[in-house]
Amino acid sequence: MIGIVIFMCWFEPLRNNSLDFLVAQQVMSFQAAWFLDPIIHGDYPPEMRQALGSKLPTFSIKDRRKLQYKLDFIGINHYTSLYVRDCTFSPCKSSDNIDESFIYTERNGIPIGKPTAMPNYYVVPHGIEEVVLYTMRRYNNTPMFITENGYAQHSNSSMTELLNDIDRVDSMRQYLAYLNNAMRKGADVRGYFVWSLIDNFEWLYGYTVRFGLHYVDYNTLKRVPKLSASWYKQFLHGVEVQHEHEQVDTH
C-alpha cells in the first residue's frame, strides 16, 4: 500500500457568518487539499484556483494520466484546531504570534481549547472528527490512518506531573471518542498512532517539550512508562482505567 501523510489542523469560523465560513474552507484547501486534490482529482482545489488564478500551474494530459493511479491510503497528522476570520472588509489583528493575521486561538477571550506545552496546540477533541469527515467526503472515503495525534508537556515540569500525565490521558480518551464518532458515520479509518511512544527531540522545540507515553531521562536514556502508557495499554484491551485513583511511582 502506498499513500501520503498530510498535517491537518481543523479550522473553524471565528464568527457565525458566511464570510468566515468560506475563509475556513479556503484555508483547509491551502493546507491539505493543495496536496491531495491533484493526486486524487487531478487538479488543484477550486478554492485555490479562485484565489490564485493563473498563478497556479496546469497539469498536462500526461500528468493527469499518471495521477489516475491515485492513493491506497491517506495519513493524517492531527493535533489541534484554530479559528479563522475573513479580512475583506475590516483589518484583522491576530490574538497570537501566528504569521497569518486571520488565524485566532481565542474567541471573546476564551481559548478554543485547553492549551498544551506546544505553542498554538490546543486540546480540541471534536477537531479530529471534523478532519476525518472532511477527508472522507472530499476524497471518496479513501482509507485513512491517523498517523500522529498527541499531547505535549513542558520538559521542566516536575517528575510527578510528567509521569502522572492525567491531562494526556484525558486528551487521548476524548480524541479517540470523537474518532470513533467519525468511524460510526462511515469513515474508513484503518489505524491510529499516538505521538509518541517515547519522549524525543521535537524539531525546533528540541527537548523542551515531551509527547511520549514513556518518560526518557536524556542523560541516562532510561525509559519510564507514564500513566498514559498504562492507560492506553488497558484501553487497547478493552479496559477503562479510572486514572483519578491511579498514580505512577516517581521514585
Side-chain angles (χ1 to χ4, degrees):
M1 294 181 68
I2 299 175
I4 188 172
V5 176
I6 301 293
F7 177 86
M8 289 194 199
C9 177
W10 178 247
F11 294 97
E12 298 194 342
L14 179 66
R15 303 165 298 180
N16 185 23
N17 62 44
S18 59
L19 289 174
D20 284 11
F21 178 78
L22 290 173
V23 167
Q25 289 185 312
Q26 187 179 67
V27 174
M28 286 298 297
S29 76
F30 272 78
Q31 172 195 233
W34 183 1
F35 303 98
L36 291 172
D37 269 32
I39 296 173
I40 296 176
H41 298 313
D43 198 0
Y44 288 111
E47 299 93 339
M48 290 188 72
R49 287 277 181 211
Q50 182 178 7
L52 300 178
S54 61
K55 293 180 181 178
L56 278 179
T58 57
F59 292 100
S60 68
I61 296 176
K62 184 178 179 180
D63 289 336
R64 290 177 182 271
R65 190 177 299 121
K66 290 180 179 179
L67 291 168
Q68 289 175 356
Y69 292 101
K70 300 183 173 20
L71 294 169
D72 297 315
F73 71 89
I74 297 170
I76 298 173
N77 291 354
H78 175 75
Y79 290 91
T80 191
S81 301
L82 296 165
Y83 293 121
V84 291
R85 62 162 290 185
D86 176 76
C87 304
T88 305
F89 301 108
S90 61
C92 292
K93 184 178 180 181
S94 178
S95 57
D96 53 42
N97 60 359
I98 299 177
D99 292 338
E100 296 87 347
S101 62
F102 54 86
I103 294 178
Y104 293 77
T105 60
E106 298 180 354
R107 176 192 282 158
N108 298 324
I110 301 173
I112 192 170
K114 184 174 182 177
T116 71
M118 197 73 168
N120 304 315
Y121 276 28
Y122 294 79
V123 178
V124 189
H126 72 267
I128 197 168
E129 179 179 358
E130 298 291 353
V131 297
V132 166
L133 292 178
Y134 171 89
T135 306
M136 177 187 79
R137 293 162 182 158
R138 191 167 186 125
Y139 304 113
N140 307 315
N141 208 10
T142 297
M144 289 169 272
F145 290 86
I146 304 301
T147 41
E148 286 187 27
N149 176 243
Y151 179 92
Q153 296 170 287
H154 291 287
S155 283
N156 60 4
S157 301
S158 70
M159 186 62 70
T160 298
E161 291 176 312
L162 289 172
L163 293 184
N164 292 288
D165 54 344
I166 293 174
D167 288 338
R168 177 174 288 108
V169 172
D170 286 338
S171 176
M172 290 173 64
R173 177 190 285 113
Q174 294 177 69
Y175 273 86
L176 285 164
Y178 277 97
L179 178 60
N180 184 54
N181 287 348
M183 295 171 69
R184 289 178 180 273
K185 293 176 181 178
D188 187 1
V189 179
R190 306 287 181 91
Y192 171 88
F193 295 84
V194 178
W195 189 265
S196 175
L197 175 67
I198 61 174
D199 294 332
N200 57 79
F201 189 87
E202 292 291 343
W203 297 95
L204 291 175
Y205 297 93
Y207 296 116
T208 63
V209 294
R210 295 174 179 265
F211 278 90
L213 301 186
H214 291 73
Y215 171 83
V216 176
D217 184 322
Y218 295 131
N219 294 315
T220 65
L221 300 186
K222 179 182 178 181
R223 304 174 184 181
V224 181
K226 301 178 186 178
L227 178 64
S228 56
S230 173
W231 178 86
Y232 193 46
K233 180 179 181 180
Q234 296 189 61
F235 169 83
L236 293 175
H237 284 88
V239 179
E240 174 64 14
V241 181
Q242 298 300 317
H243 63 271
E244 292 84 358
H245 305 295
E246 298 284 338
Q247 291 290 308
V248 173
D249 188 359
T250 58
H251 302 288

